[in-house]
Amino acid sequence: PRPAFLFAFNSNTAAVTGSGELYTWGKGDAGQLGHGDDNGKAEPKLVAPAMFSEGIRAVDCGALQTIALGMYLILLLPSAVCPQLFALN
C-alpha cells in the first residue's frame, strides 16, 4: 500500500496508509516497531491492525519507542512484549 505519510527517526521508520494502516521497519532492538519482538525489519511490516480498528491518524518515532494516535486511542510501542493502549475519553 502507498503511504499517506511517514516519519523517520535515525534508525526506524513508520508509515501510515490512507486507510489508517500502520507499517514500521528499521532497528527494533527495544521493541519500538511494535511487532511483538525485538528484531529489526528491513522492509515495511504491518503492525497488528486489530489493536486499532478505527485506523491511525498520526505517528511519531523516537529512539526507543513509536507512538501512534488513533481516533479513540494512543498506541505506545516501547516494548517487544507488551504494547500499551491508552483510551481517549
Side-chain angles (χ1 to χ4, degrees):
R2 184 179 207 127
F5 62 92
L6 62 96
F7 187 86
F9 177 86
N10 199 359
S11 58
N12 56 318
T13 304
V16 177
T17 67
S19 60
E21 295 174 313
L22 175 63
Y23 289 80
T24 60
W25 66 99
K27 186 176 178 182
D29 60 337
Q32 66 267 43
L33 299 179
H35 300 294
D37 59 31
D38 58 359
N39 299 320
K41 306 289 184 257
E43 296 182 8
K45 182 176 177 183
L46 180 64
V47 176
M51 296 173 79
F52 43 87
S53 59
E54 84 279 0
I56 295 298
R57 308 282 192 230
V59 66
D60 196 5
C61 297
L64 300 176
Q65 74 283 333
T66 300
I67 188 166
L69 177 64
M71 182 169 285
Y72 303 110
L73 60 85
I74 297 172
L75 176 65
L76 181 61
L77 306 169
S79 165
V81 179
C82 183
Q84 298 175 22
L85 294 173
F86 299 93
L88 300 175
N89 293 333

